[in-house]
């Protein structure tokens, strides 16, 4: 049932190329330069007239929502707020009639997300769901929605659910950006073509797992770890840190790289591994100077770079290369080595990777 893999988590990490194809099948039509999504098409006036999108979710799905914020603002020029479902529901949130609420949930059963949806609907919002489990409570409670079609995710640590949620968000953002005239025809074409080859780039990236395993062996006993990223990859830093803490029980924090100097830099010494996402796109030079700040305080740098990088390579202790892609799609690639890193560290520490202590696959309590 684990298809030859030692754990469901590793199997699900490796399923991502297929899962992403399953997510965009029938929706992304690269030969015609079309993005077809029934649930968006049927509600297109609501989407095009929306003044704001509010995304509600928990955990990893909340991180996907943060990537969604960059996607919608960058590609479709729609302001976005991303809310922890648990906070949103206990405030007295301001919902205006032209707001769209997007709820993201793998299981479709998360109690706080479900309650947030009910609250938003009671205030008259149009609620769109992005769920993996077909027929789940959240899928039923929303006005409309799109499934991720990632297939069952058994490992408690969410992996393919995350990348497929980002895939759905990318498709919607591109479609709206195109219809609103915010993306040029040629950029739209390029995004569609690039999206269609993302699965093969993920596939290529999965081949580096032995390299990641070696890095894992060096840092498996670290008590703490920092993850840094900027722009589209800031949420990936948060997700990388969450993956490490939940399955290996190593304390980890994700930060926007530029926030380092406002506090966390005090933690840096020779025993602190710092994972930095430093792809060529997205404020590269700024990230390079953040890396220099860490190096001069003797921190250990594990950098995720674009293939062919030389500048970061010269200063980092370890580099993991990812294939080049368009900036909005970098999270789909940079996430992969971080999933593998936490997986191998957890295995080496003898942790129960698929069923970490104190965690459940769907959190149906509030
Ligand atoms: C992390 C993880 C959790 C879930 C969160 C939301 O790996 O699995 O943080 O992402 O409990 O779950 P869903 O997406 O089912 O609403």
């Amino acid at each position: 049932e684990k298809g030859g893999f030692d754990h469901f988590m590793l199997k699900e990490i490796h399923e991502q190329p297929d899962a992403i194809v399953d997510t965009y099948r029938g929706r992304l039509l690269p030969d015609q330069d079309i993005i077809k999504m029934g649930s968006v098409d049927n509600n297109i006036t609501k989407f095009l007239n929306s003044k704001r999108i509010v995304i509600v979710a928990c955990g990893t799905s909340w991180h996907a929502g943060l990537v969604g914020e960059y996607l919608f603002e960058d590609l479709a020029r729609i302001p976005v707020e991303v809310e922890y479902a648990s906070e949103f529901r206990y405030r007295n949130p301001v919902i205006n009639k032209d707001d769209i609420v997007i709820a993201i949930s793998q299981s479709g059963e998360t109690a706080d997300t479900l309650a947030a949806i009910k609250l938003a609907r009671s205030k008259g919002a149009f609620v769109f769901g992005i769920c993996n489990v077909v027929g789940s409570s959240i899928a039923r409670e929303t006005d409309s929605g799109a499934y991720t079609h990632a297939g069952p995710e058994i490992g408690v640590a969410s992996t393919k659910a995350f990348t497929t949620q980002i895939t759905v968000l990318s498709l919607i953002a591109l479609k709206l950006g195109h219809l609103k005239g915010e993306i040029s025809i040629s950029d739209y074409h390029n995004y569609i073509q690039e999206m269609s080859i993302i699965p093969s780039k993920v596939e290529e990236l999965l081949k580096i797992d032995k390299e990641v395993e070696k890095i894992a062996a060096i840092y498996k006993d670290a008590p703490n770890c920092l993850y840094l990223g900027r722009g589209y990859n800031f949420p990936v830093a948060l997700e990388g840190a969450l993956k490490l803490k939940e399955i290996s029980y190593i304390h980890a924090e994700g930060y926007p790289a530029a926030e380092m100097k406002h506090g966390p830099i005090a933690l840096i010494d020779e025993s602190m591994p710092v994972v930095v996402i430093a792809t060529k796109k997205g404020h590269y030079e700024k990230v390079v100077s953040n890396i220099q700040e860490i190096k001069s305080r003797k921190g250990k740098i594990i950098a995720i770079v674009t293939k062919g990088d030389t500048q970061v390579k010269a200063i980092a202790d370890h580099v993991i290369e990812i294939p080049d892609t368009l900036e909005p799609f970098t999270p789909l690639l940079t996430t992969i080595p971080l999933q593998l890193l936490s997986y191998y560290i957890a295995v080496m520490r003898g942790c129960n990777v698929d069923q970490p202590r104190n965690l459940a696959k769907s959190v149906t309590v509030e």
Side-chain angles (χ1 to χ4, degrees), residues 58-61 104-108 110 156-158 242-243 246 363:
C58 304
T60 291
S61 297
I104 307 177
S105 175
Q106 187 287 129
S107 63
T110 302
V156 164
S158 202
L242 177 62
K243 286 290 86 99
E246 69 183 332
V363 184

Side-chain angles (χ1 to χ4, degrees), residues 336-348:
I336 311 291
L338 304 191
Q339 294 171 345
L340 290 168
L341 184 66
S342 60
Y343 171 78
Y344 285 115
I345 289 180
V347 169
M348 287 171 196

Side-chain angles (χ1 to χ4, degrees), residues 43-82:
N43 296 289
I44 200 67
T45 20
K46 282 199 181 73
F47 275 99
L48 293 178
N49 291 338
S50 69
K51 302 250 170 2
R52 186 175 72 140
I53 293 175
V54 179
I55 299 179
V56 294
C58 304
T60 291
S61 297
W62 183 79
H63 295 153
L66 286 178
V67 176
E69 175 172 15
Y70 286 85
L71 288 164
F72 285 117
E73 297 202 348
D74 185 18
L75 302 174
R77 309 301 299 150
I78 303 173
V80 176
E81 275 167 51
V82 188

Side-chain angles (χ1 to χ4, degrees), residues 30 40 57 59 107 137 149 241 260 264 268 279 287 289 298 325 332:
V40 177
S107 63
S137 305
H149 300 302
M260 275 288 294
I268 307 287
T279 49
V287 177
S289 62
K298 302 196 165 51
T325 186
L332 294 168

Side-chain angles (χ1 to χ4, degrees), residues 84-93 112 115 119 366:
Y84 286 115
S86 58
E87 286 298 315
F88 176 85
R89 60 174 294 204
Y90 290 116
R91 285 208 310 273
N92 186 7
D112 282 319
L119 175 66
E366 309 191 336

